Amino acid sequence: MSQIEFTYPWLLLLPVLVFLAWRCPHLQLQRPIRAIALICLLLVLCKPAIPSRWGGMDLYVLLDRSASTGGLVERQRREWRNLLEDARPAYRDRLHFIDFAEDAVPSLDGGGSELALSRRDQTRIPLAVEYALARQDSRRPTRLLVMTDGYSTEPMGITASRLSAMGIPMDYRLIEQATSIDYRITGFDGPTRVQAGEAFLLRARVAGFGSKDGEEIPITLLRDGKTLVQSSLTIHDGSGTIEWADRIDSGGSHRYRVQIQPEQDAHHGNNHAETWLEISAGPRILIVSRHPDDPLATAFKGQGLETDLRTEPSKVTPADLTGAKAVVLHNVPAHDLDPDFLNSLNFFVRHQGGGLLMVGGRHSFGAGGYFQSSIDELLPVSMELKADHRKLALAMCIVLDRSGSMSAAAGGGAGGAAVTKMDLANQGAATAIELLGQLDSVSVLAVDSSPHVMVPLTRLGKQRNDIVGRVLKIQSAGGGIYVYEGLKGAATQLAKATSGTRHIILFADACDAVQPGKYRELIAKLVAEGTTISVVGLGKDTDPDAGLL
């Protein structure tokens, strides 16, 4: 239901008018005609409005093209498209079809798919959802429909939370292969916590029907990625159960995984299951360091403390915090740590009462990239680098050609490819931004006959996702790209930078890069100032402007 909105400050005049009508009767404000006129004037000043979004709704249909769906989607997609088109309530409603497996791309109208056959071993539903959200128009209502066999190879937790926060519903329709040969793991149970040295049981349940009763199914048990047991399980009357015993002497958390390898199976996505087990032990100090003989570990052990030294920072996960009383980061840069582990330290300290110590040299604190990270506010020191250290940061300006030729198909094809050169340029720019550090700055220009500032020079910090979202929505707007104007606009943006390293990336169509102007003089000036330039020519070596680029 729509609600009328008012500019509320003008309503404060209402008690003033009532007071004047009472204290100044000669104004005759209580007369009906004058009172009605004043109330109407007050309502006009309040600018009443009924908020509304643009008419119509956008429905994004995500088609699972992974290997597990076989050719079902290819055979039925035309029927699904026709049914959805016929059921569209109004002409303002729009349908968008997206193919996904390991990647996500727009569907082709003429059939087939731009997804490579070598990229169909996974079903990344969260990736497809994020791809659709990046393309949505925030001014229009959005809804998602997923056509899949239901076996996602990535967890949906974070994506589901984001959809809920944005108020975007997601429906799904399960599609199944017409086959009776399918085995699946229906349960994998074990204790969640045991004492060090205590024996425990793990139990796996498998269900399915094959070509005969009593079939032997190979099954493997792994702990932390290493194989513990390889055996077989007999399936009777459509189900079977197997148990293993294990014992661990030291504290910590461990991931157990069970997987089956039947010779014939319709769906491979349901052939594995995982569970976590915590081994309770005494106080433990987790040291993350690059030094195999870290002196801090020797010192703590000398005090009789249990010490867990990890010399591969990228492999430390939030599970390693289980049972730990303190964490020591010894001269380890932020980019070496798993982002999930780094983010979990805030909860570990604030809510679980754990300790955190950072020590070291040029790979710690601000120089190690911890400024504006999740643990920036935990330590009683300033992570912000001084002016001389900021010279190590990068300022980058990305110049995107948005001329009319950028709307051309990027892959060709009889039906006309849905992926355009503009899509490729946007994705390349977004990937470059994702590789930058927290202290780096970026600017993005969209250029036709003149540069248009899509993102002014901005330090990334916590704005990375917002900037990437804006870049992915840039569209071709006609005209031709003026190379000189694009480089000149980039030079203007980088003139505001305080960073010592400056770089320009120019994405341009090799078929339509015109008006180079005095680009040689401009480039010579930029190089003299320490600015480097990369050019990405979209097209072929034989295109008319490939030589210029």
Side-chain angles (χ1 to χ4, degrees):
M1 178 181 296
S2 298
Q3 297 180 345
I4 299 178
E5 294 183 351
F6 293 93
T7 306
Y8 291 102
W10 288 105
L11 292 177
L12 297 177
L13 289 177
L14 186 58
V16 175
L17 294 176
V18 174
F19 177 78
L20 290 176
W22 173 56
R23 295 294 297 175
C24 305
H26 63 280
L27 296 176
Q28 299 184 352
L29 297 180
Q30 68 275 21
R31 296 182 64 178
I33 295 179
R34 291 192 180 185
I36 293 174
L38 289 173
I39 292 175
C40 290
L41 176 62
L42 183 61
L43 290 176
V44 171
L45 292 174
C46 288
K47 298 180 180 179
I50 299 178
S52 64
R53 303 178 81 174
W54 283 22
M57 180 185 72
D58 287 339
L59 175 64
Y60 286 86
V61 184
L62 311 181
L63 302 175
D64 182 355
R65 306 304 295 271
S66 62
S68 63
T69 63
L72 280 177
V73 174
E74 180 62 32
R75 293 193 297 269
Q76 300 184 31
R77 62 191 301 273
R78 185 179 298 277
E79 178 185 358
W80 295 340
R81 181 186 288 267
N82 292 337
L83 289 173
L84 290 171
E85 289 284 358
D86 294 341
R88 197 162 44 152
Y91 73 92
R92 291 190 181 92
D93 298 321
R94 299 188 302 210
L95 289 172
H96 308 271
F97 290 85
I98 295 173
D99 294 339
F100 74 93
E102 292 187 37
D103 303 314
V105 297
S107 296
L108 298 179
D109 295 335
S113 177
E114 287 291 313
L115 286 171
L117 294 177
S118 61
R119 302 283 293 173
R120 301 196 183 190
D121 292 335
Q122 298 185 41
T123 306
R124 304 180 64 186
I125 297 179
L127 172 70
V129 172
E130 294 293 340
Y131 182 80
L133 294 181
R135 300 174 72 89
Q136 69 149 340
D137 189 338
S138 60
R139 296 169 295 181
R140 292 171 57 90
T142 299
R143 195 178 188 97
L144 304 179
L145 172 60
V146 184
M147 316 289 277
T148 177
D149 57 7
Y151 303 117
S152 176
T153 55
E154 290 184 340
M156 288 289 295
I158 296 178
T159 302
S161 299
R162 185 181 178 194
L163 288 174
S164 178
M166 298 174 68
I168 297 178
M170 185 179 81
D171 306 306
Y172 66 90
R173 176 182 174 181
L174 295 180
I175 53 180
E176 298 181 357
Q177 295 276 12
T179 179
S180 59
I181 301 179
D182 179 45
Y183 294 97
R184 61 193 179 278
I185 295 178
T186 58
F188 184 38
D189 306 321
T192 58
R193 181 183 293 110
V194 297
Q195 296 294 323
E198 178 184 358
F200 56 90
L201 284 177
L202 296 166
R203 180 183 296 107
R205 297 186 300 276
V206 179
F209 292 92
S211 58
K212 62 180 180 179
D213 189 39
E215 187 163 353
E216 297 285 333
I217 303 298
I219 188 167
T220 304
L221 177 68
L222 302 94
R223 183 177 69 198
D224 299 329
K226 297 181 179 179
T227 300
L228 287 182
V229 181
Q230 286 183 321
S231 59
S232 61
L233 172 64
T234 303
I235 303 296
H236 286 297
D237 296 328
S239 65
T241 303
I242 188 171
E243 295 181 343
W244 300 277
D246 198 9
R247 184 199 307 268
I248 300 178
D249 296 326
S250 58
S253 291
H254 301 274
R255 181 181 65 177
Y256 284 86
R257 176 186 176 96
V258 62
Q259 58 190 34
I260 58 176
Q261 302 93 19
E263 292 184 4
Q264 298 183 24
D265 196 37
H267 304 291
H268 299 286
N270 55 7
N271 288 357
H272 60 83
E274 295 182 351
T275 186
W276 283 87
L277 173 68
E278 177 186 349
I279 306 297
S280 301
R284 179 171 61 93
I285 297 179
L286 175 63
I287 301 178
V288 185
S289 171
R290 290 175 167 179
H291 310 295
D293 301 320
D294 194 290
L296 288 177
T298 304
F300 286 131
K301 289 179 180 178
Q303 297 297 317
L305 298 174
E306 181 183 351
T307 303
D308 184 5
L309 175 62
R310 301 298 182 91
T311 56
E312 296 185 72
S314 62
K315 296 184 178 180
V316 182
T317 68
D320 294 314
L321 295 175
T322 305
K325 295 300 181 182
V327 175
V328 179
L329 302 179
H330 187 188
N331 207 32
V332 176
H335 63 78
D336 267 11
L337 296 172
D338 185 326
D340 290 337
F341 172 74
L342 190 61
N343 293 333
S344 65
L345 288 177
N346 191 292
F347 182 84
F348 173 73
V349 173
R350 294 185 183 275
H351 300 281
Q352 295 183 320
L356 176 63
L357 170 66
M358 182 178 290
V359 63
R362 60 190 181 91
H363 295 304
S364 298
F365 305 103
Y370 290 96
F371 177 58
Q372 292 186 340
S373 69
S374 58
I375 64 172
D376 189 350
E377 298 179 355
L378 296 179
L379 299 176
V381 294
S382 173
M383 296 286 191
E384 187 172 8
L385 295 175
K386 303 304 179 183
D388 53 340
H389 289 136
R390 289 183 184 175
K391 294 179 181 178
L392 300 174
L394 167 68
M396 183 167 68
C397 183
I398 302 176
V399 182
L400 295 174
D401 177 359
R402 73 167 189 182
S403 62
S405 62
M406 290 292 284
S407 62
V419 177
T420 65
K421 291 183 178 181
M422 193 76 251
D423 292 331
L424 293 180
N426 291 348
Q427 188 60 54
T431 303
I433 294 171
E434 290 172 350
L435 293 174
L436 295 177
Q438 296 278 56
L439 293 178
D440 295 332
S441 302
V442 68
S443 173
V444 180
L445 306 180
V447 182
D448 37 50
S449 57
S450 61
H452 306 273
V453 180
M454 311 306 290
V455 179
L457 190 66
T458 305
R459 180 181 293 179
L460 282 178
K462 298 180 180 180
Q463 304 182 64
R464 186 190 310 267
N465 291 336
D466 177 63
I467 292 174
V468 168
R470 278 189 274 171
V471 169
L472 291 174
K473 293 181 180 180
I474 296 176
Q475 297 180 352
S476 172
I481 181 174
Y482 286 17
V483 174
Y484 178 82
E485 294 297 327
L487 293 175
K488 182 179 178 182
T492 302
Q493 289 292 316
L494 293 182
K496 309 171 187 177
T498 58
S499 306
T501 305
R502 305 177 187 186
H503 188 63
I504 297 173
I505 301 179
L506 170 65
F507 287 87
D509 186 1
C511 289
D512 191 26
V514 297
Q515 299 290 340
K518 298 181 179 180
Y519 75 98
R520 294 183 183 276
E521 291 83 348
L522 178 57
I523 290 176
K525 180 181 178 182
L526 290 170
V527 172
E529 295 172 351
T531 301
T532 54
I533 303 173
S534 298
V535 179
V536 179
L538 294 153
K540 303 177 181 178
D541 292 339
T542 56
D543 288 341
D545 297 313
L548 168 66
L549 298 180

